[in-house]
Amino acid sequence: DAKTTQPPSMDCAEGRAANLPCNHSTISGNEYVYWYRQIHSQGPQYIIHGLKNNETNEMASLIITEDRKSSTLILPHATLRDTAVYYCIVRVVGANSKLTFGKGITLSVRP
Amino acid sequence: GAVVSQHPSWVICKSGTSVKIECRSLDFQATTMFWYRQFPKQSLMLMATSNEGSKATYEQGVEKDKFLINHASLTLSTLTVTSAHPEDSSFYICSASMGEKQFFGPGTRLTVL
């Protein structure tokens, strides 16, 4: 799997949008971009994934650049409960396909 | 939908004993499940890939005789830590594949005294 790079941490104010960047410059054509988050002492939670088009669901939006070398996860209205470690992972789709976790980015939402 | 459970949520055992952790997909069938381990302040490390009805595939450096994995049905995979020692104390997390996504269990905290 291609590697991703994320800043180690960032913070944002409650109620504001949180924009989490991710670089994946060596992504292959058949690899998707996935985002998961892990709240302290819990299992990771799926957020969103995409191939090349922008995606939106009830949790977040995923913006992928046209060259697919980077992406941004957007939490439109961050709350204190969004404080977590967010992982950006690239992965080919398939039942046996692994998720390889890096260090992620720690998002701290401040009141 | 897409709920994965683990049992127990935490366990404390004496050194030398074996501990079994169950992972269940509650509302879907999963031909493939994964087992991860996470040490404090570190990221998740994949231990093995478990396929229903076949032997698990272990990642490099993971002892298959120490971490026994059984995936006997489409909704249940078990991880047995044999002859546990204090260095096996960790947070063990399973996940199950459903389509393009993987869903994770809540994790099991193992403490070996």
Side-chain angles (χ1 to χ4, degrees), chain A residues 38-60:
Chain A
Q38 185 178 27
I39 295 170
H40 183 62
S41 295
Q42 298 182 24
Q45 177 188 21
Y46 167 82
I47 301 174
I48 200 167
H49 75 286
L51 182 62
K52 55 183 178 180
N53 296 322
N54 297 338
E55 303 287 344
T56 295
N57 63 21
E58 65 278 3
M59 288 184 69

Side-chain angles (χ1 to χ4, degrees), chain A residues 12 45 48 74 79 88 111:
Chain A
C12 75
Q45 177 188 21
I48 200 167
I74 301 173
T79 70
C88 169

Side-chain angles (χ1 to χ4, degrees), chain A residues 32 34 36 38 40-46 49 87 91 93-104, chain B residues 31-32 34 36 38 42-46 49 51 59 91 93 97 99-107 109:
Chain A
Y32 286 65
Y34 284 78
Y36 282 80
Q38 185 178 27
H40 183 62
S41 295
Q42 298 182 24
Q45 177 188 21
Y46 167 82
H49 75 286
Y87 297 97
R91 167 186 181 248
V93 170
N96 279 346
S97 179
K98 307 173 191 178
L99 283 169
T100 301
F101 286 80
K103 295 181 180 179
Chain B
T31 55
T32 305
F34 302 85
Y36 296 80
Q38 186 175 33
Q42 294 187 23
S43 190
L44 284 79
M45 294 296 295
L46 180 66
T49 303
N51 287 297
E59 294 298 301
F91 191 49
I93 310 169
S97 281
E100 296 182 350
K101 304 171 188 174
Q102 277 188 35
F103 295 95
F104 286 79
R109 176 80 55 193

Side-chain angles (χ1 to χ4, degrees), chain A residues 19-82:
Chain A
N19 298 306
L20 286 69
C22 180
N23 285 320
H24 31 80
S25 58
T26 60
I27 192 170
S28 300
N30 62 345
E31 288 180 314
Y32 286 65
V33 180
Y34 284 78
W35 283 83
Y36 282 80
R37 73 181 182 183
Q38 185 178 27
I39 295 170
H40 183 62
S41 295
Q42 298 182 24
Q45 177 188 21
Y46 167 82
I47 301 174
I48 200 167
H49 75 286
L51 182 62
K52 55 183 178 180
N53 296 322
N54 297 338
E55 303 287 344
T56 295
N57 63 21
E58 65 278 3
M59 288 184 69
S61 294
L62 173 60
I63 308 299
I64 303 173
T65 58
E66 194 169 340
D67 64 7
R68 302 212 320 126
K69 293 184 177 182
S70 65
S71 60
T72 301
L73 178 75
I74 301 173
L75 306 179
H77 305 287
T79 70
L80 298 179
R81 289 179 294 179
D82 292 321

